[in-house]
Amino acid sequence: MRLNSSIPNILVLPHVAVSGGAGIYIRSAIKALSRYANVTLIGEAGPAYPEEDAAIRHSSLPARPVLPAYEGASAASFLVNAFLAAPRAWRLFCWLSRRKSELATYDAIVVTSSIDLLTLMIAKRVIPSLTGICFVQENAFLTGLRGRINRKLLREPQVNVSISHSWSANAGKYNIQSLVVANTFDNIEIEPTPDTQSHYDFVYVGGGARNKGFSHFLAVIEHISKDRSIKASLLGHLSGPQKARADAAGHKLELIGSQLDCPGFVSDVSHYLRDARVLLLPITEPHFCRPAIEAGLCERTFIVSKLSQLEDFATANYNCVMVDRGDVIMWSEACLRLLTDDALRHKLARSNLKFAKRDFSSSAFDEGMRKIIAAC
C-alpha cells in the first residue's frame, strides 16, 4: 500500500552483481522502476548497479537465508543452505526489526530471485504493509521437495514476475499467478551483418558454467575437425583447469588445421556473434538463453539442446535447430549441415531476427514495470 505520495518508495535487493543475463535483466529492471518510483538498493550486490536514479543503502546485510531451489543449483547446495536458514533468518529478522522505523517509509520490497523469498517473507513480517514483489528465474523448481517449498514461498509476494511464458503457465497449474515481463533487447545497438563476412564458423557463450555445456562444445568441435577445418570461439569465464583443457583442445585443433580462440569473459557478446555464422548452445538444463536473442538481432541462428521449457526463445526449424542433449554425433551433423547449407542457415537467421524484434521489445518491458508499480 502506498504511503504518502503518488510516487512509491521501493527497496530492491539484487541477488547478484552485474554479470551475465541475470545482471543485465536486473539492471534494466532497476532503470525502468526508477522512472516511476523512488528506488533504493540494498544488499552487497547493490553497489554494482550505479544507476543515477537509485540510492544505495545497507550494502552490508547479515547473511541472508537463501534457498537455491532451481535447475542448475545442486541438491547439496540446497540442503546446506536449508540447514543454515533458521539462524540466518533470525539474525536478519533482528537486524530488520532494529530498522523498523526506516523500513516503514517504504511501500514495497523487490527481490530479484526466488532464492531470496525467505528474506522477502521476513521483511513483510517486520513491516506487514510492505508489498512483496519477486522476480522468479525461469528454471525455479515447482515439483519435488524443492518445488513444494518454492510453491509455498511463492504465495508470499503480492506479485511474482517471470521472464518466461512457459514457467508462468506451469506455475498457473498450482494457482500461482505471475506477471510475465520478458527480457528487453531492442534498445541494444546491434546491427545485423551478412555472415559471409564472419571470421568464425561457430561461437559458444557460457564459459565453464555447469549448465552451459562446456565439455560438450569441445567434444563437438573436435569431432567436426576430423572431417574439415573450422574456426570457433569460446566466450566466458573458465576456471584454471577448464582453461588448461580449452588450451589443450585448441593446440590439438591447430595441429589438424582448425582454430579455437578463448577470449574469456566479455561484457558485450554482439561483436563475437556477428563474427560467427552459428551460435552453439549445448545447454544441459532448461533455462532462458539470452545470447539466442542477441544472435537474432545480429541476424544469426543457433543450435540448442532439445529440452522442454525453451519455447520462449527457441522454435525448432523456425529460428534454430534443436538436437538431443549430449549427442556428439548428431550435434556434429547439425553443425555441418548449417555450415554448408547457406540457404537454410540464412532462412533460420532471418526468422530469428524477426522473432527477436517482435517478442522482446523495450515498450513491453516498460509496460510490465508499470504494472509492478501499480501494485505497490
Side-chain angles (χ1 to χ4, degrees):
M1 180 181 295
R2 197 164 305 176
L3 296 179
N4 299 317
S5 72
S6 60
I7 301 177
N9 299 311
I10 299 178
L11 282 172
V12 177
L13 173 62
H15 73 288
V16 66
V18 182
S19 64
I24 295 171
Y25 184 93
I26 293 168
R27 176 181 287 279
S28 297
I30 291 171
K31 285 183 177 180
L33 290 173
S34 296
R35 286 196 287 271
Y36 310 110
N38 300 316
V39 174
T40 299
L41 307 179
I42 57 172
E44 64 276 8
Y49 298 87
E51 314 301 338
E52 294 181 4
D53 297 323
I56 298 175
R57 297 289 302 277
H58 304 305
S59 58
S60 179
L61 293 176
R64 306 194 307 277
V66 299
L67 288 177
Y70 58 90
E71 295 188 54
S74 67
S77 174
F78 177 84
L79 290 173
V80 168
N81 280 282
F83 177 77
L84 297 171
R88 288 178 173 179
W90 174 248
R91 286 194 291 271
L92 182 63
F93 176 83
C94 294
W95 189 90
L96 292 173
S97 295
R98 290 194 296 271
R99 293 159 179 81
K100 187 173 182 177
S101 59
E102 177 188 344
L103 289 175
T105 65
Y106 292 94
D107 302 290
I109 180 169
V110 176
V111 296
T112 62
S113 169
S114 60
I115 69 171
D116 277 315
L117 279 165
L118 280 175
T119 294
L120 182 147
M121 182 179 74
I122 294 167
K124 283 172 57 61
R125 295 298 182 272
V126 175
I127 304 294
S129 62
L130 282 175
T131 296
I133 299 164
C134 176
F135 286 82
V136 187
Q137 59 267 58
E138 79 285 359
N139 52 3
F141 285 124
L142 291 169
T143 59
L145 173 61
R146 287 175 284 178
R148 288 198 296 273
I149 294 172
N150 262 348
R151 296 201 307 267
K152 182 179 177 66
L153 292 173
L154 284 166
R155 302 187 191 285
E156 193 69 32
Q158 278 79 6
V159 182
N160 288 304
V161 183
S162 170
I163 69 170
S164 164
H165 289 277
S166 57
W167 186 92
S168 186
N170 194 26
K173 298 175 183 177
Y174 300 97
N175 295 318
I176 298 171
Q177 303 304 311
S178 56
L179 172 67
V180 178
V181 184
N183 284 267
T184 176
F185 291 88
D186 65 354
N187 59 342
I188 301 175
E189 296 182 1
I190 298 178
E191 287 295 330
T193 57
D195 70 7
T196 53
Q197 301 175 16
S198 298
H199 175 72
Y200 295 101
D201 298 305
F202 304 106
V203 59
Y204 161 89
V205 181
R210 63 188 295 265
N211 62 341
K212 301 296 186 180
F214 164 74
S215 297
H216 183 68
F217 166 75
L218 291 181
V220 170
I221 296 303
E222 289 176 353
H223 190 272
I224 296 172
S225 296
K226 293 177 182 179
D227 297 321
R228 62 173 291 166
S229 297
I230 59 169
K231 296 179 180 179
S233 61
L234 187 162
L235 306 184
H237 173 74
L238 298 174
S239 66
Q242 289 170 336
K243 183 66 165 63
R245 184 178 176 188
D247 288 343
H251 178 67
K252 178 181 177 181
L253 292 170
E254 186 178 0
L255 294 177
I256 56 177
S258 288
Q259 177 183 337
L260 174 63
D261 293 335
C262 303
F265 175 79
V266 295
S267 58
D268 181 7
V269 301
S270 62
H271 167 74
Y272 293 91
L273 292 171
R274 282 196 302 269
D275 206 26
R277 292 177 176 82
V278 181
L279 167 68
L280 301 186
L281 297 170
I283 59 176
T284 60
E285 296 159 344
H287 60 276
F288 186 87
C289 296
R290 182 183 177 93
I293 307 303
E294 292 174 308
L297 294 175
C298 296
E299 202 169 339
R300 298 292 185 271
T301 186
F302 59 95
I303 304 176
V304 66
S305 301
K306 187 185 295 182
L307 299 170
S308 61
Q309 303 174 43
L310 303 186
E311 299 87 352
D312 288 283
F313 69 91
T315 302
N317 303 318
Y318 169 69
N319 68 332
C320 68
V321 172
M322 303 185 80
V323 183
D324 290 343
R325 174 179 55 186
D327 191 320
V328 173
I329 302 299
M330 291 187 66
W331 267 82
S332 299
E333 291 175 352
C335 288
L336 286 171
R337 179 157 59 97
L338 279 187
L339 201 58
T340 56
D341 191 338
D342 293 348
L344 174 61
R345 188 176 71 251
H346 295 157
K347 174 178 175 289
L348 295 173
R350 287 193 298 271
S351 296
N352 201 27
L353 173 61
K354 179 180 178 181
F355 172 73
K357 286 187 172 181
R358 182 191 68 207
D359 285 27
F360 296 90
S361 69
S362 56
S363 59
F365 186 86
D366 194 69
E367 179 59 28
M369 293 300 153
R370 285 175 178 267
K371 291 178 180 178
I372 293 171
I373 294 297
C376 296

